[in-house]
């Protein structure tokens, strides 16, 4: 691709994305914001609802407000169908505001305003209460043209580096439907959990759901894959929710697809998807190579049989180890490469 062609493609991308983002700014007093939260005038998306600040962070936020420090914009989305504003970013700030303004939050651990430790909003002198109530926070209101994928992308970009939902957790909340419920159920399967070890923290962040989703998405085909895992899986999940809703029998077919691979892996790969006997995690690249490579090999040879020694030889080979540990793991060529190295090795043994 020439430099001029690349510039043209970049301009087309910019134009396409710009069509999705239309907004205006608005000012809200803290008193109004607290009332709107209390009256449930704001909708909190599922992917944000279960994530709450710890008390210390709430108190530091209120301290910043009382000190008059600049507060980041709140991002909202206007749902034209309901007339309700959905919180794209700022859910924790707004809920903390409501909690404090209604005297349910007692301040503690403040450094600068330490004389306020142990107090609530109602303990402030009346003039200070009024000043806080009339203090304003600016909001960016996105139009209804801003689709769900763009709103989630904005939420994740704003919160880069913060403790917020990861893509698996976001999908779980934003894309609830029959296929997403299927993935959640699959992640609890006893055989799957036994073969795909995850740590306690990974379990809490839905790592097995991520692995299961990748298995089905990649075995269904990579024609639309453009090196962007998050976007690919988001669109795939949304489309599969519709497919499962239209044809509930798909759940049995997809479950059988995974079970066939799990049975094969459990029989011939003593370590399952792990790197070693004592490993507590399942590397994604290794899981993708073994599970999807085995699936593709079984499509060619449904009666494929190998020995555990042969399987061990494959996963210890230089070619396999190079494919599952290379940089740029989500580049399509690398993804296809690690899948094919397992498929080809299994068919060669057969």
């Amino acid at each position: 691709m020439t430099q001029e062609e690349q510039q043209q493609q970049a301009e087309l991308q910019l134009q396409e994305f710009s069509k999705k983002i239309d907004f205006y700014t608005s000012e809200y007093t803290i008193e109004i914001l607290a009332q709107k939260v209390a009256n449930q005038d704001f909708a909190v998306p599922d992917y944000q609802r279960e994530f709450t600040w710890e008390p210390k962070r709430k108190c530091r936020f209120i301290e910043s407000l009382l000190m008059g420090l600049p507060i980041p914009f709140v991002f909202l989305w206007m749902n034209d169908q309901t007339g309700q504003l959905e919180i794209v970013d700022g859910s924790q700030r707004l809920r903390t505001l409501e909690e404090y303004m209604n005297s349910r939050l007692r301040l503690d651990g403040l450094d600068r305003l330490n004389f306020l430790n142990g107090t609530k909003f109602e303990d402030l002198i009346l003039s200070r209460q009024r000043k806080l109530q009339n203090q304003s926070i600016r909001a960016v209101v996105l139009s209804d043209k801003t689709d769900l994928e763009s709103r989630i992308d904005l939420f994740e970009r704003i919160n880069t580096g913060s403790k917020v939902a990861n893509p698996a957790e976001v999908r779980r909340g934003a894309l609830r439907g029959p296929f997403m419920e299927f993935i959640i159920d699959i992640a609890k399967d006893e055989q799957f959990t036994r073969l795909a070890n995850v740590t306690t923290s990974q379990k809490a962040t839905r790592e097995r759901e991520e692995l299961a989703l990748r298995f089905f998405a990649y075995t269904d085909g990579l024609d639309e894959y453009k090196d962007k895992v998050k976007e690919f899986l988001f669109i795939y999940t949304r489309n599969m929710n519709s497919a499962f809703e239209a044809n509930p029998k798909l759940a049995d077919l997809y479950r059988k697809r995974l079970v066939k691979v799990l049975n094969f892996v459990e029989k011939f790969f003593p370590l399952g998807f792990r790197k070693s006997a004592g490993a507590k995690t399942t590397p994604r690249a290794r899981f993708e190579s073994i599970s999807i490579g085995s699936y593709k090999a079984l499509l060619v040879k449904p009666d494929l049989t190998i020995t555990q020694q042969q399987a061990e030889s494959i996963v210890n080979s230089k070619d396999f180890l190079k494919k599952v540990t290379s940089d740029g793991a989500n580049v399509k060529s690398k993804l296809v490469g690690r899948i094919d190295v397992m498929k080809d090795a299994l068919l060669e043994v057969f």
Side-chain angles (χ1 to χ4, degrees), residues 86-100:
E86 177 183 290
I87 303 172
V88 176
D89 183 71
S91 169
Q92 303 304 325
R93 278 168 278 158
L94 293 178
R95 286 188 277 181
T96 298
L97 271 180
E98 189 277 329
E99 189 177 350
Y100 180 69

Side-chain angles (χ1 to χ4, degrees), residues 88-127:
V88 176
D89 183 71
S91 169
Q92 303 304 325
R93 278 168 278 158
L94 293 178
R95 286 188 277 181
T96 298
L97 271 180
E98 189 277 329
E99 189 177 350
Y100 180 69
M101 299 302 286
N102 286 292
S103 293
R104 299 197 313 279
L105 175 63
R106 187 182 299 276
L107 300 179
D108 185 41
L110 303 186
D111 297 323
R112 297 292 182 88
L113 304 179
N114 59 301
F115 285 109
L116 287 178
N117 286 328
T119 69
K120 300 179 180 180
F121 173 75
E122 62 188 15
D123 297 320
L124 298 173
I125 62 174
L126 184 58
S127 61

Side-chain angles (χ1 to χ4, degrees), residues 59-322:
C59 292
R60 284 181 62 83
F61 172 67
I62 297 299
E63 183 183 37
S64 297
L65 278 176
L66 292 168
M67 291 171 62
L69 297 178
I71 301 301
F73 286 20
V74 171
F75 286 78
L76 308 171
W77 172 65
M78 173 62 74
N79 186 330
D80 272 3
Q81 293 184 343
T82 65
Q84 194 175 34
L85 287 170
E86 177 183 290
I87 303 172
V88 176
D89 183 71
S91 169
Q92 303 304 325
R93 278 168 278 158
L94 293 178
R95 286 188 277 181
T96 298
L97 271 180
E98 189 277 329
E99 189 177 350
Y100 180 69
M101 299 302 286
N102 286 292
S103 293
R104 299 197 313 279
L105 175 63
R106 187 182 299 276
L107 300 179
D108 185 41
L110 303 186
D111 297 323
R112 297 292 182 88
L113 304 179
N114 59 301
F115 285 109
L116 287 178
N117 286 328
T119 69
K120 300 179 180 180
F121 173 75
E122 62 188 15
D123 297 320
L124 298 173
I125 62 174
L126 184 58
S127 61
R128 178 57 59 183
Q129 290 183 21
R130 289 170 175 165
K131 286 179 181 178
L132 185 59
Q133 288 171 333
N134 292 322
Q135 193 170 325
S136 65
I137 291 179
R138 181 165 293 183
V140 173
V141 183
L142 306 169
S143 76
D144 65 315
K145 297 178 183 178
T146 309
D147 60 23
L148 176 61
E149 189 175 356
S150 298
R151 301 198 301 274
I152 291 176
D153 185 52
L154 176 61
F155 169 72
E156 292 176 335
R157 288 175 184 272
I158 292 171
N159 289 282
T160 299
S162 300
K163 184 182 178 182
V164 295
N166 63 27
E169 295 166 312
V170 169
R171 287 192 298 268
R172 181 186 243 258
L175 297 172
R176 295 312 285 260
F179 178 70
M180 191 69 248
E181 295 298 332
F182 169 78
I183 291 295
I184 292 171
D185 184 57
I186 283 290
K188 301 173 185 176
D189 178 82
E190 189 273 333
Q191 186 181 28
F192 186 49
T193 59
R194 187 172 64 253
L195 295 174
N197 280 23
V198 299
T199 63
T200 301
S201 61
Q202 286 180 320
K203 181 179 179 181
T205 54
R206 323 295 182 187
E207 179 63 13
R208 283 202 187 93
E209 291 176 22
E210 179 76 15
L211 296 176
L213 179 59
R214 288 182 181 220
F215 172 80
F216 290 116
Y218 296 163
T219 53
D220 268 344
L222 295 169
D223 291 344
E224 302 301 320
Y225 187 81
K226 306 296 183 184
D227 299 345
K228 297 179 181 179
V229 178
K230 183 180 67 176
E231 288 84 351
F232 178 75
L233 295 180
F234 186 95
I235 294 171
Y236 176 78
T237 303
R238 183 178 60 195
N239 292 341
M240 290 303 293
N241 272 333
S242 298
F244 269 50
E245 187 171 355
N247 184 8
K249 293 182 179 179
L250 284 176
D252 288 336
L253 295 176
Y254 274 69
R255 184 179 293 274
K256 288 177 181 177
R257 178 192 301 184
L258 178 60
V259 168
K260 184 174 183 178
V261 170
L262 294 179
N263 288 340
F264 179 81
V265 171
E266 185 162 39
K267 184 175 181 179
F268 300 115
F269 291 78
L271 298 179
F273 301 109
R274 295 171 294 166
K275 291 174 62 176
S276 64
K280 297 182 179 179
T281 62
T282 299
R284 290 178 180 177
R286 190 181 184 90
F287 171 81
E288 291 162 355
S289 178
I290 296 175
S291 66
I292 303 165
S294 297
Y295 169 77
K296 287 184 172 294
L298 288 167
L299 286 180
V300 177
K301 298 289 185 181
D303 56 345
L304 177 62
T305 299
I306 60 174
T307 66
Q308 291 189 353
Q309 289 75 20
Q310 289 170 325
E312 186 176 353
S313 177
I314 293 173
V315 297
N316 288 325
S317 68
K318 290 183 179 180
D319 200 14
F320 173 82
L321 293 174
K322 181 180 179 180

